[in-house]
Amino acid sequence: MAAPSGQPQERLKKVNSICGMCTVRCPIEVHVKDGEAVYIQGSPHHPAMNGSLCPRGGAGLALLHDNERPQGPLIREGKRGEGRWRRATWEEAYTHIADKLTEIVTHYGGRSILYTNRGGPWQDIQKAFVRGLGSPNYTNHDASCARNVMHAAKSFMGMGRKDVTYDLKNAKHVVLQTRNMFEAINVSEVNNLISSLNNGGKLTVIDVRATISASKANNFFLVRPGSDYAFNLALIHTLIKKDLYHKNYVKRIFKDFDKLAAFVEPYSPDWAESETGIPAGRVESLAGQLAEAAPAVIWHPGWHQARYLNSFYVCRTAYIINGLLGSIGAKGGLAITNKAKDVGRKGLKSFVDLLPAPEDQRADGLGWKYKHFDAGPGLLQLQLKAIETEEPYPVKAYICYRHDPLMAMPDPEKIKKILDKLDLLVSITFTWSETANYADVVLPLSTYLERESTLAHKGGLKPYFFVRQRAVQPRFDSKAPWEIYTDLARHLNIEPLARFRSIEEMWAYQLEGTGVEIADFEAKGMVSLTDKPKYRTLDELKFPTPSGKLEVISEKWEKAGLPSLLPYQPLQAPPEGQYRITFGRCALHTQGHTVNNPLLSEVMGENELWINRNEAARLGIGDGEYVEVSNNGQAGQRIKAKVTEAIHPECVFMLHGFGHRLKMESRAFGKGAADQELMIGGLEKWDPAGGAMALQEHFVTVRKLEG
């Protein structure tokens, strides 16, 4: 409808940007009218998005207008965790941080500073900043997420988990083992998987509960918690014993296949039946289905695999199964990820290269004590141990960027005692969190709609560069990450970063020599580096291992005293009257940082405790009744029961991210339960082969609450 005569016409523009509601970071299109964001959709320019967006992405406007997020820099006045703050200017906050860091570095050296984040495509500027501080202790959240997957990939393929691309659209059979793809939503992956299923592809789900993904599966295996390794060994046994593996591929690409065959000889489906609860015939049938679809098969090694003490070997056997089926490198399988150089293009210039690498060893021991681990993102549980013990040296400052270890890691009360040994704790965040509330300084990030970011590269079959554009101006006194790091660099005299005064200067630096200009991003928000997807032929496959092949026996792991093929041992069963605590994701929330979202909290305001119907009946618990869940009487929490047949009787399940304790988060305060609080002693439970936490090696009791 046209505006009445004499009144100004509303102006609508479309801004290509990147979502920030979860770690997937989907490309989006933001509709802006007279300076206000009014609508968000998935990018219409991305072939796997087609304008679609998940519920979290749709709630981005609610985040933008949330008045309960930090609105300006804050400096703590009371004790840590008391919630007493002084509003500060940015100059005051920067000066406070710079003075404290300078004092700490003077006494202990740059190595005494720890930095953690949630990973992602914009780590380059952050790594450069940490280098500028003189610290080797750049670390991300992956110890509580995908470190086991990464190290399993490294130990077998010699390359990381992101060096293969899941070619879901062309897959003929996809196996999701603990990977709940239809709830932990990556929109591109979901759309591509749906395309596969619509074209006759099959889906198999292996999990301890019936998820949304399981409801769409051709095969669903409700396995005993912690028995996935037994399931995988039986599947490998069947592929080899029944000659269902890809013989030509294995002959040319595998090293030590004979040792694998000998190792799995005792692990038959009949043997596994008593471990997993899955009939032997079903495992044999699955092996036949996979062989029929090979090599266009994806056995997903998982994403969040910080689960059990043998999860590294679950992931490793998943990669081995893919290899046996010839799917690593194949179309419709785990295709090799292409970077700019793989398609004849030059990549983005790195900010990290502007600064020398620190000479000190990492505090977590990676690279010198634990030589089999990838040192890049470190292991946070070992960094926390270094803070606690001051071995191998004191760590006295900690900067958390978009990271909440008090929710992401087990035993938060123990972590608080460790953090009390710090001289400085800084939280850089766009929402409140337990860690932000425990910090000395809070620096408020602008939400993703209010900020632009440095350019980033996305690898895949068709790699591309992409940009996040600022759609609207910040509502509060917040800043973009690049502003914070360059401002701090000026206060700390980190000259290579201090020289950048605008995002345009940073973009121009990154694009030097690439043949791409910033104007090229205007139409779509991304610049493709090739017109056609690139696959590797069998002759072109060469892996960055000592042999150039897929290595069943990893020399690096064996030298570390860790077997490449671990003889199966059952994990500890739940003690009498207890249940293994499991947790996961849903489509509506991203861990804890969306639970207080004004829109999403209305749709799902609290989590529930899934419990098997027979177990609930034994305890006198009805569906929807409130129960107390506790760890041997400790950390008792109130939560509503969801009574169902769709979960294994040996475990209970809750969505992660609930149980907030901060009154400034009025919508989330006191609602639901926090799984990490039930993991008492959990900082000591981690997988020495894979590095990740064993977050589902804890047991709880459940009792009905009266009244």
Side-chain angles (χ1 to χ4, degrees):
M1 179 182 297
S5 177
Q7 293 187 13
Q9 298 286 327
E10 290 187 325
R11 295 177 297 278
L12 177 69
K13 67 175 181 177
K14 298 178 180 180
V15 180
N16 294 305
S17 194
I18 302 295
C19 186
M21 294 298 289
C22 80
T23 57
V24 174
R25 301 176 179 90
C26 294
I28 57 174
E29 182 181 81
V30 186
H31 294 194
V32 180
K33 185 175 290 186
D34 288 340
E36 294 289 333
V38 295
Y39 179 71
I40 307 172
Q41 67 173 13
S43 172
H45 310 297
H46 192 288
M49 294 288 294
N50 297 319
S52 53
L53 206 59
C54 79
R56 289 162 289 165
L61 295 180
L63 170 64
L64 174 66
H65 294 286
D66 184 4
N67 291 328
E68 293 188 350
R69 55 187 172 96
Q71 299 183 17
L74 298 168
I75 297 175
R76 177 174 60 84
E77 289 201 317
K79 294 180 180 179
R80 281 191 177 134
E82 276 189 342
R84 292 172 55 201
W85 302 96
R86 174 174 66 84
R87 181 70 178 264
T89 66
W90 280 95
E91 180 61 29
E92 287 176 303
Y94 287 148
T95 300
H96 181 88
I97 293 169
D99 288 349
K100 291 294 293 184
L101 287 178
T102 300
E103 179 183 333
I104 290 166
V105 170
T106 299
H107 282 86
Y108 303 103
R111 67 184 186 177
S112 64
I113 302 171
L114 169 63
Y115 179 100
T116 66
N117 71 6
R118 289 192 51 77
W122 296 290
Q123 298 180 63
D124 181 37
I125 183 68
Q126 299 170 50
K127 290 178 179 178
F129 176 72
V130 178
R131 274 196 180 190
L133 294 171
S135 175
N137 295 315
Y138 174 89
T139 307
N140 71 18
H141 79 297
D142 220 28
S144 58
C145 190
R147 275 296 88 186
N148 283 333
V149 190
M150 171 62 83
H151 289 130
K154 289 269 189 178
S155 71
F156 182 56
M157 302 186 296
M159 56 191 188
R161 65 186 181 97
K162 294 183 180 179
D163 290 324
V164 292
T165 295
Y166 303 118
D167 191 13
L168 292 159
K169 189 173 184 178
N170 295 305
K172 295 180 181 177
H173 199 137
V174 175
V175 179
L176 301 179
Q177 187 172 39
T178 72
R179 176 78 173 97
N180 186 8
M181 194 172 287
F182 284 100
E183 292 186 76
I185 296 175
N186 176 322
V187 175
S188 295
E189 285 189 344
V190 168
N191 285 343
N192 284 332
L193 180 53
I194 289 174
S195 293
S196 167
L197 300 180
N198 288 341
N199 289 327
K202 289 187 176 181
L203 175 64
T204 292
V205 171
I206 306 166
D207 212 323
V208 299
R209 68 185 184 105
T211 62
I212 298 297
S213 299
S215 72
K216 301 181 183 300
N218 301 87
N219 310 297
F220 172 53
F221 297 91
L222 185 72
V223 296
R224 174 172 292 121
S227 70
D228 295 89
Y229 186 42
F231 189 101
N232 290 10
L233 291 175
L235 197 286
I236 294 171
H237 172 102
T238 306
L239 290 175
I240 295 175
K241 201 76 171 177
K242 293 184 176 292
D243 286 332
L244 297 174
Y245 63 95
H246 195 308
K247 294 184 179 60
N248 184 43
Y249 183 97
V250 168
K251 181 179 179 180
R252 297 179 63 177
I253 302 296
F254 263 63
K255 181 178 179 292
D256 296 319
F257 171 74
D258 56 335
K259 294 181 180 179
L260 175 66
F263 176 77
V264 298
E265 178 65 29
Y267 300 121
S268 68
D270 287 324
W271 161 83
E273 186 170 331
S274 61
E275 294 294 330
T276 64
I278 304 301
R282 293 196 65 202
V283 176
E284 293 170 344
S285 173
L286 176 61
Q289 293 174 46
L290 295 173
E292 183 179 351
V297 171
I298 297 172
W299 188 296
H300 204 296
W303 190 339
H304 182 278
Q305 283 284 18
R307 295 174 184 265
Y308 308 117
L309 287 170
N310 64 6
S311 284
F312 166 81
Y313 293 97
V314 176
C315 301
R316 195 166 197 271
T317 47
Y319 283 115
I320 289 173
I321 292 168
N322 283 301
L324 289 171
L325 294 167
S327 70
I328 298 178
K331 183 176 182 178
L334 277 64
I336 304 300
T337 298
N338 298 309
K339 301 179 177 65
K341 65 179 181 179
D342 298 313
V343 294
R345 301 292 294 269
K346 185 176 179 180
L348 298 169
K349 286 187 68 174
S350 172
F351 295 107
V352 168
D353 293 339
L354 294 171
L355 296 122
E359 297 180 358
D360 289 302
Q361 295 176 324
R362 294 180 60 91
D364 57 14
L366 273 65
W368 57 278
K369 184 177 181 180
Y370 302 103
K371 295 182 179 180
H372 59 299
F373 289 146
D374 169 38
L379 294 176
L380 182 52
Q381 74 272 25
L382 299 182
Q383 294 282 13
L384 292 171
K385 177 64 72 173
I387 297 173
E388 181 182 26
T389 64
E390 300 195 349
E391 295 291 338
Y393 50 77
V395 176
K396 291 296 183 179
Y398 183 5
I399 302 171
C400 288
Y401 172 79
R402 289 192 64 249
H403 186 206
D404 183 12
L406 289 175
M407 178 163 283
M409 300 292 284
D411 203 346
E413 291 305 312
K414 169 70 171 178
I415 295 175
K416 287 179 182 178
K417 293 178 181 177
I418 294 173
L419 297 180
D420 283 340
K421 301 198 70 171
L422 295 168
D423 293 340
L424 178 67
L425 175 60
V426 178
S427 175
I428 306 175
T429 181
F430 59 86
T431 58
W432 278 106
S433 69
E434 289 288 346
T435 302
N437 189 57
Y438 211 70
D440 302 309
V441 183
V442 174
L443 298 182
L445 276 174
S446 300
T447 66
Y448 68 96
L449 295 172
E450 302 167 306
R451 69 177 188 252
E452 59 282 281
S453 300
T454 51
L455 298 172
H457 170 276
K458 175 68 174 177
L461 292 170
K462 295 173 63 177
Y464 59 89
F465 299 151
F466 63 94
V467 65
R468 168 183 278 155
Q469 297 277 10
R470 185 180 297 217
V472 296
Q473 293 304 308
R475 292 186 62 230
F476 304 125
D477 188 15
S478 59
K479 289 184 180 289
W482 69 268
E483 294 176 294
I484 292 173
Y485 291 115
T486 57
D487 286 348
L488 280 172
R490 284 185 279 277
H491 282 74
L492 292 160
N493 298 314
I494 304 173
E495 179 55 35
L497 294 183
R499 76 181 199 194
F500 294 104
R501 296 283 178 169
S502 70
I503 192 64
E504 289 78 13
E505 289 181 23
M506 303 183 87
W507 289 340
Y509 166 79
Q510 290 180 283
L511 290 172
E512 286 177 9
T514 63
V516 177
E517 298 180 357
I518 194 62
D520 298 333
F521 293 87
E522 185 64 30
K524 299 181 179 180
M526 59 190 79
V527 175
S528 180
L529 302 178
T530 183
D531 294 331
K532 297 180 180 179
K534 179 181 178 181
Y535 294 93
R536 307 300 200 280
T537 66
L538 189 57
D539 290 334
E540 292 174 316
L541 283 180
K542 184 174 176 62
F543 297 91
T545 58
S547 66
K549 298 182 177 182
L550 298 171
E551 297 192 341
V552 173
I553 305 300
S554 169
E555 182 179 335
K556 181 180 284 189
W557 263 256
E558 297 287 334
K559 282 185 177 180
L562 297 160
S564 303
L565 299 169
L566 179 71
Y568 183 81
Q569 289 290 330
L571 297 179
Q572 179 187 352
E576 182 68 26
Q578 297 186 41
Y579 304 91
R580 187 181 298 273
I581 181 69
T582 66
F583 62 90
R585 294 278 302 280
C586 69
L588 288 167
H589 285 296
T590 303
Q591 287 91 34
H593 89 246
T594 60
V595 172
N596 198 54
N597 182 283
L599 182 59
L600 297 176
S601 63
E602 285 187 17
V603 183
M604 180 181 286
E606 63 181 315
N607 57 354
E608 298 175 313
L609 188 77
W610 288 44
I611 185 169
N612 181 270
R613 186 174 299 280
N614 292 335
E615 294 299 309
R618 185 176 62 82
L619 297 170
I621 296 169
D623 186 47
E625 294 181 337
Y626 279 94
V627 300
E628 181 189 65
V629 56
S630 65
N631 184 326
N632 289 319
Q634 301 181 72
Q637 297 182 67
R638 180 176 180 268
I639 185 172
K640 187 183 294 185
K642 178 181 176 68
V643 177
T644 175
E645 298 91 350
I647 187 168
H648 197 281
E650 291 185 9
C651 67
V652 290
F653 170 90
M654 66 175 69
L655 293 172
H656 178 69
F658 289 82
H660 289 215
R661 304 287 185 261
L662 305 180
K663 291 185 178 180
M664 62 274 279
E665 294 185 297
S666 66
R667 308 171 201 100
F669 178 70
K671 294 181 180 178
D675 56 85
Q676 73 275 7
E677 294 184 11
L678 298 164
M679 301 173 188
I680 299 168
L683 290 176
E684 306 300 326
K685 291 187 177 183
W686 60 281
D687 186 338
M693 308 300 300
L695 299 175
Q696 297 188 1
E697 293 284 8
H698 298 270
F699 304 99
V700 297
T701 55
V702 181
R703 71 176 182 90
K704 181 178 179 178
L705 288 175
E706 302 299 334

